[in-house]
Amino acid sequence: MPFISNTLEQQDQMLAEIGLTKEDLFADIPAGLLYEDFKLPQGLSEQRVRDSLAELAEKNSTHLTCFLGGGFYDHFTPAAVHSIISRSEFYTAYTPYQPELSQGILQAIYEYQSALCRLTEMEVANASLYDGGTALYEAMMMAHRITGRNKIIIDDSVNPIYRVMIHSYTRNLRIEFEESQCKDGLADRDRILERIDDKTSAVILQNPNFFGCIDDFSDIAAAAHDKGALLIVSCYPISLGILKTPGAMGADIVTGEGQSLGLPLSFGGPYLGLMAARKQYVRKMPGRIVGETTDASGQRAYVLTLQAREQHIRRDKATSNICSNEALCALTALVYLSLLGKEGLKETAQLCADKASYAYKRLTAIPGVQPHFRGRWFFNEFVLDLPCEAADVIAKLIERGFAAGFPLSRYYSGMENSILISVTEKRTKHEIGMLAEALESVL
Amino acid sequence: MKLIFEKTVPGRRAVQTGPGDVPTMNVRSSLLRERAAELPELSELDVVRHFTELSRRNFGVDSNFYPLGSCTMKYNPKVAEHIASYPGFAQLHPLLPQLRMGGMLTQGALQVLYEIDLLLREITGMAGFTMQPLAGAHGELTGMMIMAAYHKDKGNKKTTVLIPDSAHGTNPASAAIAGYDVVSIPSNENGVMDIEAVRRHLNDEVAGLMLTCPNTLGLFNPHVKEICDLIHSVDGLAYYDGANLNAIVGKARPGDFGFDIVHLNLHKTFATPHGGGGPGAGPVGVREELVPYLPVSVVVKRSDGTYTLEYDHPKSIGYIAPFYGNFAVVLKAYVYILMLGKEGLRRVAENAVLNANYVKEKLKSHYRIAFDRPCKHECIFSISDQMAQNGIRATDVAKALIDRGFHPPTVYFPTVVHEAIMIEPTETESKETLDSFIDAMIEIAEQAGSEPEKLRSAPRTAPVCRPNETAAAKDLNIAYL
């Protein structure tokens, strides 16, 4: 079923009207380059495809009670989010090159940029990037353009998935990395401050960090600024419902993964790369940006702006090669934030912290289970040390219906027994209790 | 129209949170924000009405004809949206496969990734694909990184990439970001990359070539294979930008032309929605020798028929996305390919090309055609005659189309054509739709002669008319604070 409207008769009629044959249409391709022997299946009906994909969907385990996070979270999404973003005027449109026909998505992106600035307490934001990892890479390159320097200090409590991505992207570039090991769950001040010098482009930190610990980077921001370096903070937007903002800490560029703002987990994407910055750096920012202006009759209107930074104008001199943003995902985040609203986001963030704290108390009461970092404030994730290998325990808990957490040995040596547990507002006291019972029984 | 922030009524709520069934946790106050973020305070109805009103001020493929050249704005089948929302896909956590035996929890999703890889190999003539690139431009960057890894591995000292002047801006930008210098190759009088010019610029420093074929003028380069051979003669790699694959899908394969690396835009050829500017997906395919360089993880099928992920590929360029790409987009493309099958894909190219030629032939006596020979999926006109006679520009034609109910074609691209207007009808549009568009275009051409001032003040029916872009960039207002 190729979704072609014209009947065979109409196709013949059109060919006749323009005086061409079917063969003429492909006569410009040298005969030897045409291919007929495609080993592809026959097309299927909608019913067949739906049945077979429903069968595949069944083979995925989405029934597990989810305590798995690591930067990607199982939050609650109001039904109105899906209903709104399913309006096809939004999702079947393309990049708003014609502002007269795209005021809807343009205004929505302007509102998204505004919401992100308000959330992070930054001055400017772009229309989004692909995901939190590519956003962090773009922020690093932006810092490089701003400072003209090559050295990056990155803390090892930044999401390890993002750290490996950044390393892949910079293999052929002259970027020098210094990785700082976090100390007792927090950025190690002594080591970071001592390493910032006049070659340093940026310090990259994450809050809450990969282990869930909360920090205040104001001192590091000041030290970086002293040496002409920037502070880049990767954030978890839900946490900003209550936590001190990167803006208040003095961050210069803020990135983050926007998945938690109403986007389904969808096995890794599409997600949403957040990026906000100080106003003075806006012309060095990558990606689409929407600005407010007026139209011919003086009405408020929205357009893509600062396009002189971009690839379709600047080609090989552009700030980035990025073309599309993740517009529909940015719209999703805006709708989510609008529905939760000022109080709702704050309450959701507080509930995450409450439930994580409760889970922490329940789980550390189990004999043999210890907190990995003592006396640390955490948001909705924390690290526990088990009396045996964490990966093994997690596998046993899967059989009991829990995605209990993430084994940190996958990215950190010496943490074989450590598990990262995430608790969102969706988890109930009852589910947390069940997890505690199940964990105790498998140890 | 008011911004959502201007509609706030303090204290109004849309969502009740909870249950708050555990004690409150008081985080140390120095770690907390001082004031709540000033997000909207509205009811659910307020929010729904606001966004419904915004949607009415937007135009999609479902609204009407959207012949935006080089963007392949074909119909996006509803069944794909439906399947992507199955909880078994939408609620699947991407870290599950990293748990011990966790791959067994995601067999359905891994099978989708594995099978679409096989289908795309066959469609393009490549030996292996990665689904990870999150957009077309991201695929280009991935391809350039593979090119760089190949040369580094072979000890080649290569510094330049050849790109035709008609290429999308993403091509030179991607090559530059991967660390290469770009050499722009002019198009010849036939509108395609000049093989003699390629020969002139060929030397040992050439790492490769990036080519869109058919190109952004809708023209197929008859010398494409010889060009690829030339590039190979200096151990360069030929990169196929799949932005225009819709013109040849099911009819010919870039692998047979001699290309080594291919990216596809699933949101173009494979009918996944453009989303107002993303999310897209830009899978990259390579020939056999380059398979080891593909990003990790890689989905493989074990002898017992189960699927798993491999991470340990020492030559791999590494991790370019957090997980397995924009999975939901890849899934929609998979659904599309299954529904079309071999026959359906061939008909896509045939009808995309027929529709473009139909529009071209019907309009060429009213507008100057850039290249008067059978085109592929899109045709390019120049508004230079109307400009010379009445001062009408491509943008005036575009705005006049808005008043006639159509989304305008791409204008001012490719830059090699003066006052370009680039029309890509796609295969899904009917003859009736094309005829009404053609009538509108002819009427506009006539109006350019009789009432040019009317065209210059179009559109009259849209919510806004010709926003001032210069002022937007000068007096920058990009957030309401």
Side-chain angles (χ1 to χ4, degrees):
Chain A
M1 182 67 219
F3 304 96
I4 289 166
S5 301
N6 286 327
T7 62
L8 292 175
E9 290 70 31
Q10 282 182 306
Q11 293 165 29
D12 288 341
Q13 187 194 342
M14 289 164 73
L15 282 167
E17 279 189 41
I18 59 175
L20 292 174
T21 66
K22 252 180 148 173
E23 290 68 37
D24 292 338
L25 296 177
F26 290 88
D28 52 350
I29 302 184
L33 298 184
L34 288 169
Y35 187 73
E36 289 190 346
D37 194 26
F38 284 95
K39 291 170 191 64
L40 291 168
Q42 293 226 316
L44 300 175
S45 68
E46 174 170 340
Q47 188 184 334
R48 283 283 304 280
V49 172
R50 277 170 61 173
D51 286 350
S52 85
L53 270 293
E55 214 172 284
L56 287 184
E58 286 290 308
K59 292 184 183 172
N60 298 321
S61 299
T62 49
H63 64 279
L64 300 172
T65 307
C66 187
F67 292 90
L68 190 56
F72 312 92
Y73 302 98
D74 178 31
H75 286 287
F76 177 78
T77 301
V81 173
H82 186 72
S83 167
I84 289 169
I85 64 159
S86 296
R87 292 192 68 89
S88 69
E89 295 87 345
F90 289 132
Y91 83 79
T92 71
Y94 193 38
T95 303
Y97 293 120
Q98 290 289 337
E100 287 91 342
L101 288 183
S102 318
Q103 283 302 296
I105 197 76
L106 284 164
Q107 181 173 332
I109 292 173
Y110 177 86
E111 292 176 349
Y112 159 83
Q113 290 169 182
S114 307
L116 184 57
C117 290
R118 289 164 178 234
L119 193 60
T120 55
E121 298 189 312
M122 300 297 285
E123 295 162 319
V124 296
N126 74 7
S128 74
L129 298 164
Y130 304 133
D131 83 299
T134 51
L136 195 57
Y137 152 71
E138 291 279 6
M140 187 191 70
M141 296 308 289
M142 179 176 160
H144 170 69
R145 286 192 296 275
I146 292 167
T147 61
R149 301 174 179 181
N150 292 328
K151 184 171 125 179
I152 294 289
I153 300 170
I154 186 165
D155 199 78
D156 75 346
S157 65
V158 172
N159 194 322
I161 296 172
Y162 296 169
R163 285 187 285 125
V164 294
M165 283 171 69
I166 288 176
H167 282 292
S168 300
Y169 283 117
T170 50
R171 274 185 198 178
N172 302 316
L173 309 177
R174 286 193 306 271
I175 302 280
E176 179 197 335
F177 286 96
E178 288 190 14
E179 196 160 278
S180 172
Q181 268 195 320
C182 78
K183 190 174 157 194
D184 301 329
L186 296 183
D188 184 346
R189 267 48 184 189
D190 294 344
R191 302 190 56 172
I192 291 177
L193 298 194
E194 149 197 314
R195 287 174 184 197
I196 301 173
D197 58 22
D198 57 8
K199 294 191 179 62
T200 307
S201 167
V203 180
I204 301 180
L205 300 169
Q206 179 176 319
N207 193 51
N209 67 22
F210 190 67
F211 306 115
C213 299
I214 311 171
D215 205 341
D216 176 358
F217 303 135
S218 302
D219 55 336
I220 300 177
H225 295 158
D226 261 0
K227 295 274 167 63
L230 306 187
L231 175 65
I232 299 171
V233 175
S234 177
C235 70
Y236 171 14
I238 293 287
S239 75
L240 295 177
I242 55 171
L243 293 190
K244 182 164 181 174
T245 63
M249 294 178 195
D252 300 283
I253 309 172
V254 177
T255 64
E257 173 50 66
Q259 176 272 324
S260 57
L261 302 175
L263 290 161
L265 285 161
S266 283
F267 205 47
Y271 289 166
L272 172 67
L274 310 175
M275 178 177 271
R278 303 226 163 270
K279 195 169 187 175
Q280 72 222 62
Y281 303 131
V282 66
R283 281 162 211 275
K284 304 283 185 191
M285 198 154 64
R288 304 285 189 198
I289 298 173
V290 172
E292 189 179 294
T293 185
T294 49
D295 79 344
S297 60
Q299 288 187 85
R300 199 189 229 182
Y302 300 89
V303 293
L304 292 174
T305 194
L306 297 183
Q307 297 195 64
R309 301 164 298 120
E310 294 188 65
Q311 47 76 25
H312 60 290
I313 311 277
R314 297 266 289 168
R315 300 181 77 87
D316 55 322
K317 304 287 187 295
T319 55
S320 165
N321 74 329
I322 199 163
C323 177
S324 57
N325 55 358
E326 299 277 291
L328 196 69
C329 305
L331 175 69
T332 308
L334 171 67
V335 174
Y336 174 88
L337 288 171
S338 302
L339 286 164
L340 262 75
K342 182 179 176 178
E343 289 304 315
L345 185 73
K346 191 172 144 187
E347 288 169 10
T348 296
Q350 185 63 49
L351 282 170
C352 288
D354 295 347
K355 296 191 182 204
S357 170
Y358 177 75
Y360 178 87
K361 286 195 188 95
R362 283 296 304 264
L363 297 172
T364 51
I366 299 169
V369 177
Q370 299 287 330
H372 186 82
F373 305 110
R374 287 182 188 274
R376 290 285 164 248
W377 294 99
F378 54 86
F379 176 60
N380 76 330
E381 277 177 292
F382 51 86
V383 180
L384 298 181
D385 286 341
L386 306 178
C388 50
E389 201 191 342
D392 218 29
V393 173
I394 292 166
K396 285 179 185 156
L397 288 170
I398 285 171
E399 285 170 24
R400 294 174 184 243
F402 295 94
F406 189 73
L408 285 167
S409 59
R410 192 168 171 91
Y411 294 108
Y412 296 92
S413 62
M415 294 188 85
E416 278 64 31
N417 292 0
S418 304
I419 179 173
L420 178 69
I421 292 177
S422 156
V423 190
T424 68
E425 81 287 1
K426 259 174 95 170
R427 298 286 72 81
T428 61
K429 185 178 181 182
H430 175 70
E431 288 170 333
I432 294 166
M434 298 286 282
L435 173 69
E437 281 174 30
L439 176 61
E440 187 159 10
S441 72
V442 301
L443 290 181
Chain B
M1 182 181 163
K2 276 187 176 177
L3 291 168
I4 196 158
F5 302 101
E6 296 168 320
K7 295 178 176 174
T8 281
V9 177
R12 194 174 279 182
R13 296 288 300 267
V15 168
Q16 183 188 340
T17 55
D21 49 5
V22 299
T24 298
M25 162 75 177
N26 294 310
V27 176
R28 191 169 74 201
S29 63
S30 66
L31 296 170
L32 298 179
R33 67 185 298 154
E34 284 180 14
R35 288 176 305 277
E38 289 296 335
L39 296 172
E41 295 180 85
L42 297 167
S43 66
E44 181 169 320
L45 176 59
D46 294 333
V47 175
V48 168
R49 288 249 171 91
H50 178 78
F51 288 103
T52 301
E53 179 62 22
L54 286 183
S55 76
R56 288 156 53 97
R57 294 159 76 91
N58 223 46
F59 187 104
V61 174
D62 285 6
S63 310
N64 198 11
F65 190 40
Y66 206 128
L68 196 64
S70 226
C71 298
T72 315
M73 301 301 288
K74 63 171 75 176
Y75 174 65
N76 312 129
K78 301 300 171 195
V79 57
E81 302 305 306
H82 176 79
I83 288 173
S85 72
Y86 287 172
F89 294 122
Q91 294 173 15
L92 195 61
H93 200 294
L95 280 172
L96 282 174
Q98 296 192 23
L99 306 183
R100 186 166 294 169
M101 298 303 289
M104 294 312 291
L105 307 173
T106 61
Q107 285 296 298
L110 294 179
Q111 189 176 336
V112 168
L113 292 170
Y114 182 83
E115 288 188 354
I116 192 171
D117 178 353
L118 298 186
L119 292 167
L120 294 180
R121 289 181 200 181
E122 182 61 19
I123 288 167
T124 58
M126 291 286 135
F129 264 85
T130 174
M131 298 302 142
Q132 289 190 34
L134 304 170
H138 200 217
E140 293 175 25
L141 178 57
T142 305
M144 287 296 106
M145 287 164 68
I146 290 169
M147 191 180 281
Y150 166 84
H151 288 307
K152 198 171 176 185
D153 213 26
K154 291 195 76 178
N156 290 345
K157 299 274 179 276
K158 302 280 195 180
T159 54
T160 60
V161 172
L162 309 185
I163 299 176
D165 56 2
S166 62
H168 295 113
T170 48
N171 284 183
S174 300
I177 282 164
Y180 287 114
D181 295 328
V182 173
V183 177
S184 180
I185 306 291
S187 308
N188 63 17
E189 67 283 0
N190 296 319
V192 295
M193 191 188 218
D194 189 10
I195 189 164
E196 288 312 316
V198 173
R199 211 168 260 135
R200 277 199 302 279
H201 287 93
L202 204 63
N203 56 48
D204 286 338
E205 322 240 287
V206 172
L209 158 88
M210 293 181 91
L211 197 65
T212 308
C213 183
N215 66 11
T216 60
L217 296 161
L219 302 172
F220 192 91
N221 192 325
H223 301 296
V224 61
K225 191 159 195 323
E226 294 150 82
I227 291 174
C228 290
D229 290 345
L230 274 178
I231 298 298
H232 293 152
S233 73
V234 294
D235 199 16
L237 297 177
Y239 181 95
Y240 181 86
D241 179 328
N244 295 341
L245 185 77
N246 209 49
I248 60 164
V249 64
K251 298 285 287 186
R253 313 193 298 173
D256 299 337
F257 305 166
F259 287 97
D260 306 289
I261 310 173
V262 170
H263 97 256
L264 303 177
N265 301 80
L266 297 187
H267 45 287
K268 294 181 180 176
T269 312
F270 299 97
T272 73
H274 284 69
V284 167
V286 293
R287 70 173 159 82
E288 194 73 46
E289 198 185 346
L290 301 175
V291 168
Y293 300 101
L294 288 173
V296 283
S297 57
V298 174
V299 187
V300 293
K301 190 174 184 176
R302 289 187 285 224
S303 54
D304 65 356
T306 62
Y307 302 88
T308 189
L309 290 163
E310 287 182 354
Y311 294 88
D312 188 21
H313 286 204
K315 288 190 171 188
S316 165
I317 59 164
Y319 296 78
I320 57 121
F323 298 105
Y324 328 104
N326 277 342
F327 176 77
V329 178
V330 173
L331 174 63
K332 290 174 196 178
Y334 178 61
V335 167
Y336 178 77
I337 297 169
L338 288 185
M339 288 195 75
L340 267 71
K342 174 179 171 170
E343 195 61 13
L345 287 172
R346 185 176 57 75
R347 288 175 58 197
V348 163
E350 289 172 356
N351 282 274
V353 172
L354 170 60
N355 282 359
N357 279 283
Y358 184 75
V359 170
K360 177 176 89 69
E361 289 299 316
K362 294 274 180 171
L363 288 181
K364 74 180 190 189
S365 53
H366 304 275
Y367 294 91
R368 178 181 289 270
I369 182 81
F371 295 94
D372 190 14
R373 56 190 167 96
C375 61
K376 292 267 80 60
H377 61 300
E378 61 195 0
C379 55
I380 286 82
F381 292 93
S382 168
I383 308 302
S384 52
D385 291 351
Q386 284 79 5
M387 189 168 169
Q389 288 153 20
N390 308 295
I392 290 299
R393 305 198 54 196
T395 196
D396 300 320
V397 174
K399 302 305 180 194
L401 277 168
I402 292 175
D403 281 336
R404 287 158 179 84
F406 299 102
H407 194 285
T410 296
V411 287
Y412 301 107
F413 186 83
T415 47
V416 293
V417 173
H418 184 52
E419 292 290 322
I421 181 159
M422 183 192 206
I423 303 168
E424 181 180 10
T426 82
E427 76 283 1
T428 57
E429 297 296 337
S430 67
K431 179 175 183 298
E432 303 88 275
T433 301
L434 300 181
D435 284 338
S436 62
F437 173 77
I438 289 161
D439 290 345
M441 284 291 287
I442 294 171
E443 194 197 343
I444 291 166
E446 285 163 0
Q447 203 172 37
S450 59
E451 303 174 287
E453 66 289 349
K454 275 204 168 166
L455 292 188
R456 278 191 287 268
S457 60
R460 282 179 205 82
T461 55
V464 299
C465 174
R466 304 205 186 200
N468 188 336
E469 298 189 8
T470 314
K474 194 165 153 275
D475 308 315
L476 203 61
N477 169 1
I478 63 172
Y480 181 79
L481 300 175

